[in-house]
Amino acid sequence: MSDDNYTKVLLDESEMPTQWYNIVPDLPEPPPPALHPGTHEPAGPEDFAPLFPMALIMQEVSQDRYIDIPGEVLDVFRLWRPSPLFRARRLEKLLDTPAKIFYKYEGVSPAGSHKPNTAVPQAYYNHMEGITKLTTETGAGQWGSSLAFATAQFGMECEVWQVAASYRAKPHRKTMMETWGATVHPSPSEVTEFGRSLLADNPDHPGSLGIAISEAVAEAVADPSVRYALGSVLNHVLMHQTIIGEEALIQLAKVGETPDVLVGCTGGGSNFGGLSFPFLREKMAGNMNPTIRCVEPAACPSLTKGEYRYDFGDTAGMTPLMKMHTLGHDFVPDEIHAGGLRYHGMAPLVSHIYELGLVEAISIPQIECFESAIKFARTEGIVPAPEPTHAIAAAIREALHAKETGEETVILTALCGHGHFDMAAYESYFGGSMVNYDLSDATLAAAMETVPVVNG
Amino acid sequence: MSDDNYTKVLLDESEMPTQWYNIVPDLPEPPPPALHPGTHEPAGPEDFAPLFPMALIMQEVSQDRYIDIPGEVLDVFRLWRPSPLFRARRLEKLLDTPAKIFYKYEGVSPAGSHKPNTAVPQAYYNHMEGITKLTTETGAGQWGSSLAFATAQFGMECEVWQVAASYRAKPHRKTMMETWGATVHPSPSEVTEFGRSLLADNPDHPGSLGIAISEAVAEAVADPSVRYALGSVLNHVLMHQTIIGEEALIQLAKVGETPDVLVGCTGGGSNFGGLSFPFLREKMAGNMNPTIRCVEPAACPSLTKGEYRYDFGDTAGMTPLMKMHTLGHDFVPDEIHAGGLRYHGMAPLVSHIYELGLVEAISIPQIECFESAIKFARTEGIVPAPEPTHAIAAAIREALHAKETGEETVILTALCGHGHFDMAAYESYFGGSMVNYDLSDATLAAAMETVPVVNG
């Protein structure tokens, strides 16, 4: 940098990482395998073949530390990557803290979040195996938008089942998906047998993420030229997101900084894994020693309150069983605005790493998150999506702690998306109708009763 | 650039221009002065003093070619500037054209458009003169958002009158302004006498930009610690936007390109002036010879169908008279989605330069603009705001012309904002309810009848 007073640390396109980092071979213990839902035996590639292309299944179980990012994927990434790393100088000043706050901003992608980092390679690998259409579900709309954008880049079709309540409340996300060429159905839909059966009972059915997954999966397995795509939780998805952390490592090195604390919001785990895994590699190698901390909503605290057990990834119980921190697969979180964090489980890889004691976890209630987001927006300009308000709240806690101790703590976080499609959440905050949900022990105990008992 | 296959041309913060360019002293003839609305004599600085701080009034009439950008303004600009210049390689491929299409993207600003480029210095100069609050009007919401963001950076208050119809139809823009700390009123409002009188007649009054200006101005002139801010049309606003063109000049030079054609959308003229004036300087100096072309909506074609006459800047006839291309100050354009281009007049400076034959102008109907935007979004990723769809449509026309002639035409345009708050426009396009409005001669003749007759 030619200027010590920098606000952003940018990388040239030629400095963009060309490999993803797979943390699995570096872990002191291998993560437990997924199990077949019927036999409870370890699931093999053939169990995933109707849903995913073989290239992604091989990445899911890969023992290679690094996997090359295909050139055609890098070409699409150049539309917004490398993403900027910001030093939050104006927020630091407001907080009057000696801490240095850095945030990696992923809202520069066309869809407005980190999700295209995996949507693009998923579309690419399917395209290379002759798949002409992808199906998926979407709740808040971030993932559906990202896959719609990604499939457009490879001339593929995209069919999205959007949870009916969200479809009706957020028509703009649907229109955005259509702008990129996707077909969007409210779920439950008339398209699938399952959807029709639910609509027959209740024509105004609000839908759920579990139902939408079931419809998207049913449509994919019915046609050999169609596959399904998932936006978080799985190993290969987290690996695709490691480009975030790899870039941040280069960017911090350019300004001579090393993080003391890294905080990231966790829903399914892909944003957190993407930012933190490359830093965890450096920590395990003894090159730095940051505290690495997951931040989850108090209403959906899978790491801090859930149990580490085998459970289904979906509500309907159709997926393989994964060992993870879970609140129970039919647990329905309260209606917090951070829709992307309302998942009953946690990525098996993040869960495993947490069990190994390599990362910490805290939960933060909704109102503190939005209070922090307002401080952030009024200083740094960007209006954050509800999900990363959790990371911002945690970063502000750290910065205020540094103010007490007088330490020049270097804090790193990821601002994984902007809030342009989430202004209703801010309206609820300003209108005074926002509430703090907290998961009660009784609710949790009831939800955990449905988790299957698996030996071992 | 270390890579000939670049997609973006980025500049380091240290390469950001530190001066604005004032084109006035370089023109072969000086632009005609503004006139006092009562006496029809040239208006002096004192006529503008109740509305604007002296620093901006002095910029409005400055004969200096370059004016330094204050350091505190540059510090805020670093939150998103320098903005990227993109080579639209994926769009070029879709069009199968030998042309090279470059677009300067201003949607990276917190408010999502080029408007903060002038909102920030306007807030700064007011702040430096002891002003504690700014008032303004907003239609679609882009300008109000930008001023809300800018005033937050200097600890000032901001009060915005949003046209009531827009206030009710676009609550998210209002919430965004509140997120940055602004107070937002629907206009007509109960706050001003004028507003109350209109509401007494019609409690559901939809409002208009002219009414909202009247309310914002009335509130500003009533309090010596309050001033008014305008987001386009005036000389100093266009000058603030020249940072766009200055950056683009540096960026194109980095990749060894010179534009053959420059197209920019024109509403009030600030986006067009900001991109084109530095290139016009180079053209007048004989350093390059691009065709420079304004693109306006067929529904509001002030340059291509309006008359070059003295007219009011606002609907109510409160402002000084400005010599400009006008459709008549009480002309109400059809409800095209590009709200930022629905202005009856054109910046006096752009009008003057057009009269001098230094730039060309065309108009394009709405549906061609959205067809072009869909092509753009599906290749380049970014979903454009309705205003720059006009520039994109013009760029695509040029690229297809180049395909016919086989020429490697270098096309430059500005993508002045993203469409995240304008998805209803795309919904109307996909839903088949979008129509092409065209200004009829009879409507124009009727609107022109209200333009005052001024000698000279």
Side-chain angles (χ1 to χ4, degrees):
Chain A
M1 304 296 291
S2 52
D3 186 349
D4 279 346
N5 196 32
Y6 66 88
T7 295
K8 303 178 293 301
V9 186
L10 300 179
L11 298 179
D12 192 83
E13 291 176 2
S14 61
E15 297 172 284
M16 183 160 65
T18 57
Q19 294 188 313
W20 291 301
Y21 170 54
N22 177 19
I23 199 170
V24 172
D26 281 343
L27 294 175
E29 287 176 31
L35 303 182
H36 187 281
T39 65
H40 291 194
E41 293 298 317
E46 66 285 1
D47 293 318
F48 294 98
L51 290 180
F52 304 113
M54 201 43 69
L56 291 176
I57 295 171
M58 290 298 102
Q59 289 184 359
E60 185 67 18
V61 297
S62 173
Q63 291 294 320
D64 297 332
R65 292 184 77 215
Y66 294 97
I67 293 181
D68 287 342
I69 306 176
E72 290 189 57
V73 171
L74 290 172
D75 280 346
V76 181
F77 283 174
R78 288 165 193 262
L79 291 174
W80 74 96
R81 299 209 77 84
S83 70
L85 178 77
F86 283 86
R87 168 91 183 269
R89 292 187 188 272
R90 304 177 86 82
L91 178 62
E92 290 168 17
K93 196 175 163 194
L94 176 78
L95 301 173
D96 189 24
T97 176
K100 298 175 180 178
I101 306 173
F102 290 90
Y103 60 97
K104 180 78 170 157
Y105 183 43
E106 292 294 312
V108 291
S109 80
S113 78
H114 65 297
K115 293 287 184 186
N117 295 335
T118 183
V120 173
Q122 288 196 46
Y124 168 78
Y125 288 117
N126 275 285
H127 174 62
M128 293 303 287
E129 295 187 22
I131 302 303
T132 56
K133 184 164 98 175
L134 289 178
T135 68
T136 200
E137 76 290 336
T138 201
Q142 269 290 5
W143 171 240
S145 301
S146 301
L147 198 67
F149 158 71
T151 48
Q153 299 303 314
F154 298 103
M156 303 171 75
E157 285 181 77
C158 183
E159 205 164 347
V160 182
W161 277 262
Q162 184 174 9
V163 175
S166 161
Y167 181 93
R168 291 192 280 261
K170 299 179 111 182
H172 294 172
R173 272 286 177 197
K174 165 185 159 270
T175 307
M176 194 180 208
M177 292 184 253
E178 290 173 344
T179 300
W180 283 314
T183 302
V184 187
H185 309 288
S187 170
S189 74
E190 295 286 355
V191 180
T192 68
E193 198 179 318
F194 183 45
R196 285 190 295 272
S197 73
L198 294 170
L199 288 174
D201 284 347
N202 177 6
D204 298 319
H205 200 300
S208 75
L209 212 47
I211 294 167
I213 293 175
S214 302
E215 294 201 276
V217 164
E219 197 69 3
V221 298
D223 185 335
S225 68
V226 179
R227 290 290 182 280
Y228 167 76
L230 193 65
S232 190
V233 178
L234 298 177
N235 296 354
H236 69 270
V237 178
L238 273 59
M239 186 187 73
H240 294 159
Q241 295 292 356
T242 57
I243 192 166
I244 301 172
E246 296 290 5
E247 285 181 2
L249 272 170
I250 302 170
Q251 287 164 313
L252 283 174
K254 284 208 176 205
V255 291
E257 302 285 358
T258 307
D260 299 307
V261 183
L262 188 160
V263 288
C265 63
T266 46
S270 75
N271 163 66
F272 177 81
L275 177 68
S276 69
F277 287 177
F279 286 88
L280 187 50
R281 173 190 66 216
E282 299 304 315
K283 181 174 179 166
M284 291 188 291
N287 298 326
M288 54 177 70
N289 194 25
T291 298
I292 302 179
R293 190 172 294 140
C294 302
V295 189
E296 51 187 23
C300 194
S302 49
L303 285 169
T304 52
K305 281 202 171 177
E307 291 181 36
Y308 186 52
R309 288 175 57 178
Y310 272 103
D311 198 1
F312 295 106
D314 70 324
T315 306
M318 293 167 67
T319 70
L321 290 161
M322 298 180 288
K323 193 157 186 186
M324 60 182 178
H325 290 81
T326 181
L327 301 166
H329 62 272
D330 68 356
F331 170 66
V332 178
D334 285 313
E335 285 285 343
I336 56 166
H337 291 284
L341 306 184
R342 292 178 67 241
Y343 182 62
H344 70 273
M346 178 52 61
L349 207 41
V350 173
S351 295
H352 177 61
I353 286 167
Y354 179 62
E355 280 298 307
L356 291 173
L358 297 171
V359 301
E360 304 178 357
I362 59 170
S363 71
I364 300 186
Q366 182 166 239
I367 291 177
E368 179 182 340
C369 295
F370 276 84
E371 285 167 353
S372 302
I374 303 297
K375 286 193 181 79
F376 186 89
R378 291 186 185 173
T379 50
E380 297 298 310
I382 302 163
V383 178
E387 291 79 5
T389 65
H390 292 77
I392 293 167
I396 288 179
R397 281 187 184 184
E398 286 298 327
L400 293 176
H401 179 69
K403 185 178 177 177
E404 281 175 23
T405 63
E407 283 175 289
E408 270 196 23
T409 314
V410 177
I411 303 162
L412 172 65
T413 191
L415 182 56
C416 60
H418 62 62
H420 298 171
F421 291 86
D422 305 285
M423 295 312 298
Y426 285 85
E427 198 179 348
S428 135
Y429 175 80
F430 289 118
S433 64
M434 184 173 280
V435 292
N436 273 334
Y437 297 104
D438 220 336
L439 180 59
S440 77
D441 292 344
T443 305
L444 176 59
M448 289 303 296
E449 278 178 16
T450 64
V451 178
V453 176
V454 173
N455 292 328
Chain B
M1 303 295 293
S2 52
D3 186 347
D4 280 344
N5 196 32
Y6 66 88
T7 296
K8 300 176 295 298
V9 187
L10 299 179
L11 297 179
D12 192 82
E13 290 176 3
S14 62
E15 297 173 284
M16 183 160 63
T18 58
Q19 295 187 312
W20 291 300
Y21 169 55
N22 177 19
I23 198 171
V24 171
D26 282 343
L27 294 176
E29 289 176 32
L35 304 182
H36 188 282
T39 64
H40 290 195
E41 293 298 317
E46 68 283 3
D47 292 320
F48 294 97
L51 291 178
F52 304 113
M54 201 44 66
L56 291 176
I57 295 171
M58 290 297 104
Q59 289 184 359
E60 185 67 16
V61 297
S62 174
Q63 291 293 320
D64 297 333
R65 293 183 76 213
Y66 294 97
I67 292 180
D68 286 344
I69 306 176
E72 290 188 58
V73 172
L74 291 171
D75 280 347
V76 181
F77 282 175
R78 288 163 194 264
L79 291 173
W80 74 95
R81 302 209 74 86
S83 70
L85 179 77
F86 283 87
R87 168 89 184 267
R89 292 186 188 275
R90 304 177 88 82
L91 178 62
E92 291 168 16
K93 196 175 165 196
L94 176 77
L95 300 174
D96 189 25
T97 176
K100 298 176 179 176
I101 305 173
F102 290 89
Y103 60 97
K104 181 77 170 158
Y105 183 42
E106 292 294 311
V108 290
S109 81
S113 78
H114 65 298
K115 294 287 185 188
N117 295 335
T118 184
V120 174
Q122 287 195 47
Y124 169 78
Y125 288 117
N126 275 285
H127 175 61
M128 293 303 287
E129 295 187 21
I131 302 303
T132 55
K133 184 164 97 175
L134 289 178
T135 69
T136 201
E137 76 290 335
T138 201
Q142 271 288 5
W143 171 241
S145 302
S146 300
L147 198 67
F149 157 72
T151 48
Q153 299 303 314
F154 298 103
M156 302 170 76
E157 286 181 77
C158 183
E159 205 163 348
V160 182
W161 276 261
Q162 184 175 8
V163 175
S166 161
Y167 181 94
R168 292 193 279 263
K170 298 180 111 180
H172 294 171
R173 272 286 176 194
K174 166 186 159 268
T175 307
M176 194 181 209
M177 292 184 254
E178 289 173 345
T179 301
W180 283 315
T183 303
V184 186
H185 309 287
S187 170
S189 74
E190 295 286 354
V191 179
T192 67
E193 198 181 317
F194 182 45
R196 287 191 295 272
S197 73
L198 294 170
L199 289 173
D201 284 347
N202 178 6
D204 297 321
H205 199 298
S208 76
L209 212 47
I211 295 167
I213 292 175
S214 301
E215 293 201 276
V217 165
E219 196 70 2
V221 297
D223 185 335
S225 67
V226 179
R227 290 289 181 281
Y228 168 76
L230 193 65
S232 191
V233 177
L234 298 177
N235 295 353
H236 69 270
V237 179
L238 272 59
M239 186 187 72
H240 294 160
Q241 295 292 355
T242 57
I243 193 167
I244 301 172
E246 296 290 6
E247 285 181 4
L249 272 170
I250 303 170
Q251 288 165 312
L252 283 174
K254 283 208 176 203
V255 292
E257 301 285 359
T258 307
D260 298 307
V261 183
L262 188 160
V263 287
C265 63
T266 46
S270 75
N271 162 67
F272 176 81
L275 177 68
S276 69
F277 286 178
F279 286 88
L280 187 51
R281 174 190 65 216
E282 299 305 314
K283 181 174 177 166
M284 290 189 291
N287 297 326
M288 55 176 68
N289 194 26
T291 298
I292 302 180
R293 191 173 291 141
C294 302
V295 189
E296 51 187 20
C300 194
S302 49
L303 285 170
T304 52
K305 281 203 174 178
E307 291 181 35
Y308 186 51
R309 289 175 56 179
Y310 271 102
D311 198 2
F312 295 106
D314 69 324
T315 306
M318 293 168 66
T319 70
L321 290 161
M322 298 181 287
K323 194 158 186 186
M324 60 181 177
H325 289 82
T326 180
L327 301 167
H329 61 270
D330 69 353
F331 171 67
V332 178
D334 285 313
E335 285 286 342
I336 55 167
H337 292 284
L341 306 184
R342 292 179 68 242
Y343 182 61
H344 70 274
M346 178 52 59
L349 207 42
V350 173
S351 295
H352 178 60
I353 285 166
Y354 179 61
E355 280 299 307
L356 291 173
L358 296 172
V359 300
E360 304 177 357
I362 58 170
S363 71
I364 300 185
Q366 181 166 240
I367 291 177
E368 179 182 340
C369 294
F370 276 83
E371 285 168 353
S372 302
I374 303 298
K375 286 192 181 81
F376 186 89
R378 290 185 185 173
T379 50
E380 298 297 310
I382 302 164
V383 178
E387 291 79 6
T389 65
H390 292 77
I392 293 167
I396 289 179
R397 282 187 183 183
E398 286 297 327
L400 294 177
H401 179 68
K403 185 177 176 178
E404 280 175 23
T405 63
E407 285 175 287
E408 270 196 23
T409 312
V410 177
I411 303 162
L412 172 64
T413 192
L415 183 55
C416 60
H418 61 64
H420 298 170
F421 291 87
D422 305 285
M423 296 312 297
Y426 285 86
E427 198 179 348
S428 136
Y429 175 81
F430 289 119
S433 64
M434 183 173 281
V435 291
N436 272 335
Y437 296 105
D438 221 335
L439 179 59
S440 77
D441 292 342
T443 305
L444 175 59
M448 289 304 295
E449 279 178 17
T450 64
V451 178
V453 177
V454 173
N455 291 329

